[in-house]
């Protein structure tokens, strides 16, 4: 993974956004993260974490305030292109000038999307509260961290002094297939736990109290695709 982000940083510099990425040496990464296995990195001060459930609820609140009607738990059976576009559901048909599909991992089962992305299971583990240990290793800045693997590790601290650590593995589901393989993927839980134990060997005695996960969508090059 050495140099995994150098190309993106070089492109940002050519476009005039190079100051968004601050290079960190091995010692600087160690001081910020406490992990002896991270050799170098970039600090991106303008980035932030978003709690997805709060984001969804916030978007819902704003949309309702603007007069948008939300039909929850309405299964779309067929989408017919044309003018207008026709959306067939279990209980009726919706017609509109434009339809935007925001399906995330579930898009892999729709025609036209399966060749562009794959459904992937991604899981996290959560430690017991260890604020004193976080202070001891120096991870006190609440940085969110990700590495350069294809199935990358991603981890952060929480307000009550835990570490939430995810990724590092997972399984691919083909043809938009969903089921227990992605909703009860204990193998991915074990891979996340193994990654945590490897990157933080000094916390080997810290208990893991919870785990969760589910399906995400991944493009082969990790880049978005735009089309109509």
């Amino acid at each position: 993974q050495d140099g995994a982000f150098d190309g993106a940083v070089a492109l940002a510099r050519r476009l005039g956004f190079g100051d968004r990425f601050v290079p960190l040496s091995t010692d600087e990464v160690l001081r910020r993260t406490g992990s002896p296995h991270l050799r170098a990195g970039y600090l991106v001060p303008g980035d932030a974490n978003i709690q997805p459930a709060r984001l969804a609820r916030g978007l819902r609140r704003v949309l309702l305030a603007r007069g948008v009607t939300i039909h929850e738990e309405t299964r779309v059976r067929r989408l017919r292109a044309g003018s207008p576009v026709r959306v067939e559901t279990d209980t009726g048909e919706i017609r509109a000038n434009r339809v935007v599909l925001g399906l995330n991992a579930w898009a892999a089962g729709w025609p036209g999307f399966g060749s562009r992305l794959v459904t992937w299971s991604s899981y996290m583990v959560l430690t017991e509260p260890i604020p004193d240990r976080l202070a001891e290793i120096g991870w006190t800045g609440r940085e969110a961290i990700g590495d350069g693997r294809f199935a990358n590790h991603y981890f952060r601290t929480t307000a009550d002094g835990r570490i939430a650590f995810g990724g590092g593995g997972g399984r691919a589901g083909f043809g938009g297939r969903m089921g227990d393989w992605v909703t009860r993927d204990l193998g991915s839980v074990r891979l996340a736990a193994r990654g945590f134990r490897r990157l933080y060997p000094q916390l080997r005695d810290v208990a893991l109290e919870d785990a969760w996960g589910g399906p995400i969508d991944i493009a082969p090059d990790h880049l978005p695709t735009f089309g109509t």
Side-chain angles (χ1 to χ4, degrees):
Q1 301 168 46
D2 289 336
F5 300 104
D6 291 350
V9 173
L11 176 59
R13 287 172 179 160
R14 290 201 300 272
L15 296 175
F17 299 100
D19 57 349
R20 295 189 181 186
F21 300 88
V22 181
L24 300 177
S25 68
T26 301
D27 288 342
E28 289 170 328
V29 170
L30 177 61
R31 284 198 298 270
R32 284 182 173 273
T33 70
S35 173
H37 288 291
L38 301 179
R39 294 192 294 270
Y42 286 97
L43 175 67
V44 190
D47 280 11
N49 269 320
I50 294 177
Q51 213 285 2
R54 289 182 178 177
L55 173 63
R57 292 170 187 146
L59 289 172
R60 181 181 186 276
R61 183 177 64 253
V62 171
L63 291 172
L64 290 174
R66 294 188 176 188
V68 174
T69 301
I70 299 176
H71 299 276
E72 297 189 34
E73 299 184 16
T74 301
R75 183 181 295 273
V76 175
R77 293 296 185 181
R78 183 175 297 175
L79 183 69
R80 296 183 179 275
S83 182
V85 183
R86 295 164 56 193
V87 182
E88 297 180 9
T89 76
D90 285 339
T91 56
E93 181 179 273
I94 300 171
R95 300 184 180 188
N97 292 328
R98 293 183 179 89
V99 172
V100 177
L101 301 178
L103 304 178
N104 201 286
W106 285 263
W110 280 60
F113 288 93
S115 61
R116 302 180 183 183
L117 56 88
V118 64
T119 303
W120 195 273
S121 67
S122 186
Y123 275 72
M124 303 188 77
V125 293
L126 185 70
T127 70
E128 61 183 320
I130 52 168
D132 293 342
R133 302 290 293 276
L134 292 175
E136 180 182 305
I137 67 175
W139 191 5
T140 58
R142 300 291 299 277
E143 293 91 347
I145 306 168
D147 64 16
R149 296 160 48 111
F150 176 81
N152 64 307
H153 292 114
Y154 50 92
F155 42 110
R156 63 178 178 85
T157 57
T158 67
D160 59 348
R162 303 171 187 261
I163 296 176
F165 191 101
R171 290 193 292 167
F174 299 98
R177 183 170 56 90
M178 293 289 183
D180 283 353
W181 75 270
V182 72
T183 57
R184 298 177 181 273
D185 188 359
L186 296 181
S188 290
V189 173
R190 286 190 286 269
L191 286 172
R194 185 186 308 168
F196 168 71
R197 298 299 187 195
R198 176 178 178 273
L199 291 184
Y200 288 96
Q202 69 272 54
L203 302 178
R204 62 177 61 87
D205 59 321
V206 171
L208 299 177
E209 293 191 341
D210 203 356
W212 66 92
I216 62 172
D217 58 324
I218 296 181
D221 55 8
H222 283 279
L223 295 175
T225 299
F226 296 89
T228 57

